[in-house]
């Protein structure tokens, strides 16, 4: 299917925050992206017209039930799930990782080994390390020097004792994309399961739980142009088999057994609106050739985003490589941009990360410094977990002009 040029002007008009006078250039999108107007509208409309509890016989309550059902179907399509009831809503990805890890810890059996990586966000490490008190044995799949996870290093870790492999789809610190489909094949061949943290990858490309063959996947809406909320997808059979905390009147089946307490319904409505935004973008770039389903339109949109962001990645990486005293971490090869998203971590020699970020903030650029919730990765890279590095993280509403101005600011600081 042919595509039009990426409609960056159309995209930017839909995000109020980036059009405010005096607003920062948002290069801290890995911490949370901005949201389009339609998401604001969906949240406000929910609070205005149906700010009630679900499960009642009256109209507004039934509308909440409908809102949740609609969102569940939309998210299921977004991740290419077979069954909408495989999707559970909650506060954030971290809480879902903990819910699943607690359940796994109670059902280890003879398979007591869990494989984690030092590339991951700490949320997908500490939650599994906590199971050591329940008898779990942790094995480490270490990142390479370039911030990649090599499947050859995973193979010797797997055995008949492996219960689960937990890894990220994309590093939130370095932007490295992991071959998760390959990891799934290896894990399943050993009789183990694969748990994926998809938080950082989600705004950058299509999620496909069928193609990836994973068993569990978590995501955070506020990274995907939605409000603060999270969701979990899991294979129905796997979720139903897990022992989870639930109140006596809650069915022991997914998604109810996974959704602990009341979640924020208006933010779930906003998640649906964010998916609708991506669907419209797919229609915009499809060059008049009809994508006949929501899934197809989402795939077109996210493919266009990947193509556009590859150009952004090239511009950032080429620019940083040309700055004297800049040290870039992670994937630096311009011929392998398909192995990363536009998230870049760097330091300037003799200037602390905190000072670089502060000086960039004065120049109007929102970036972040520190360990990026990945202190083990910092140590793996030979960095202090206290100081860490500087991260600039872009999404599809950012522009090459913003990058040019950013690189000039970094060069000024380096000089």
């Amino acid at each position: 299917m042919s595509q039009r040029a990426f409609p960056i002007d159309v995209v930017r008009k839909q995000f109020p925050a980036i059009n405010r006078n005096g607003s920062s250039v948002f290069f801290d999108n890995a911490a949370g992206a901005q949201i389009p107007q339609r998401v604001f509208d969906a949240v406000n409309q929910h609070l205005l017209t149906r700010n009630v509890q679900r499960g009642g016989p009256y109209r507004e309550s039934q509308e909440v039930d409908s809102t949740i059902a609609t969102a569940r179907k939309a998210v299921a399509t977004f991740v290419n799930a077979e069954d909408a009831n495989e999707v559970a809503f909650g506060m954030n990805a971290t809480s879902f990782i903990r819910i699943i890890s607690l359940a796994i810890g109670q059902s280890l059996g003879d398979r007591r080994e869990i494989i984690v990586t030092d590339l991951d966000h700490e949320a997908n490490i500490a939650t599994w390390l906590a199971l050591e008190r329940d008898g779990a044995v942790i094995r480490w799949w270490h990142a390479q020097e370039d911030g990649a996870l090599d499947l050859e290093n995973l193979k010797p870790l797997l055995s008949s004792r492996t219960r689960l492999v937990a890894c990220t789809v994309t590093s939130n610190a370095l932007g490295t994309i992991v071959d998760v489909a390959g990891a799934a094949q290896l894990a399943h061949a050993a009789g183990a399961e694969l748990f994926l943290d998809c938080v950082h990858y989600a705004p950058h490309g299509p999620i496909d739980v069928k193609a990836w063959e994973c068993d569990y996947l978590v995501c955070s809406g506020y990274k995907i142009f939605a409000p603060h909320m999270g969701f979990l997808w899991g294979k129905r059979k796997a979720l139903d088999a897990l022992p989870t905390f639930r109140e006596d009147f809650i069915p022991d089946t997914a998604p109810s057994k996974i959704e602990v307490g009341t979640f924020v319904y208006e933010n779930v409505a906003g998640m649906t609106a964010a998916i609708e935004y991506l669907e419209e973008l797919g229609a915009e770039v499809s060059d008049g050739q009809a994508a006949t389903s929501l899934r197809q339109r989402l795939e077109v949109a996210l493919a266009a985003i990947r193509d556009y962001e590859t150009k952004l990645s090239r511009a950032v990486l080429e620019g940083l490589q040309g700055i004297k005293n800049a040290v870039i971490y992670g994937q630096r090869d311009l011929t392998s941009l398909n192995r990363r998203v536009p998230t870049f971590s760097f330091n300037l020699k003799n200037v602390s990360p905190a000072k670089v970020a502060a000086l960039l903030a004065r120049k109007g650029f929102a970036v972040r410094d520190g360990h990026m919730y990945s202190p083990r990765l910092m140590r793996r890279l030979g960095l202090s977990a206290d100081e860490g590095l500087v991260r600039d993280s872009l999404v599809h509403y950012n522009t090459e002009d913003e990058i040019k101005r950013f690189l000039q600011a970094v060069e000024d600081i380096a000089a």
Side-chain angles (χ1 to χ4, degrees), residues 336-352:
S336 302
L337 294 175
N338 62 322
R339 295 170 53 195
R340 63 147 47 252
V341 300
T343 297
F344 298 89
S345 290
F346 67 96
N347 276 327
L348 298 180
K349 296 177 182 178
N350 302 320
V351 186
S352 73

Side-chain angles (χ1 to χ4, degrees), residues 93 209 233 270 362 415:
V209 296
W233 169 86
R362 292 182 199 172

Side-chain angles (χ1 to χ4, degrees), residues 128-164:
W128 304 106
L129 292 180
L131 299 186
E132 288 182 305
R133 69 188 68 147
D134 298 319
V137 177
I138 303 299
R139 306 288 302 277
W140 287 92
W141 181 12
H142 289 295
Q144 299 185 128
E145 191 174 323
D146 65 352
L149 288 173
D150 191 334
L151 294 180
E152 291 300 314
N153 296 331
L154 174 61
K155 289 178 181 178
L157 301 176
L158 292 161
S159 72
S160 61
R161 299 180 299 277
T162 308
R163 173 69 172 85
L164 179 135

Side-chain angles (χ1 to χ4, degrees), residues 85 235-243 252-255 257-258:
N85 286 323
K235 289 180 178 176
R236 183 68 183 269
K237 186 177 180 180
L239 293 178
D240 285 349
L242 290 177
D252 193 21
T253 55
K257 66 181 292 182
I258 307 297

Side-chain angles (χ1 to χ4, degrees), residues 175 204 305-321 331-334 336-344 392 394 400 403 407:
H204 301 293
I305 285 172
R306 282 287 289 151
D307 288 344
Y308 176 71
E309 289 185 350
T310 296
K311 296 177 182 177
L312 300 184
S313 291
R314 180 176 295 279
V316 174
L317 200 52
E318 285 181 340
L320 287 176
Q321 288 176 346
Q331 176 55 249
R332 299 182 289 274
D333 186 358
L334 289 168
S336 302
L337 294 175
N338 62 322
R339 295 170 53 195
R340 63 147 47 252
V341 300
T343 297
F344 298 89
D392 62 297
L394 288 67
E400 291 188 75
I403 292 170
L407 291 170

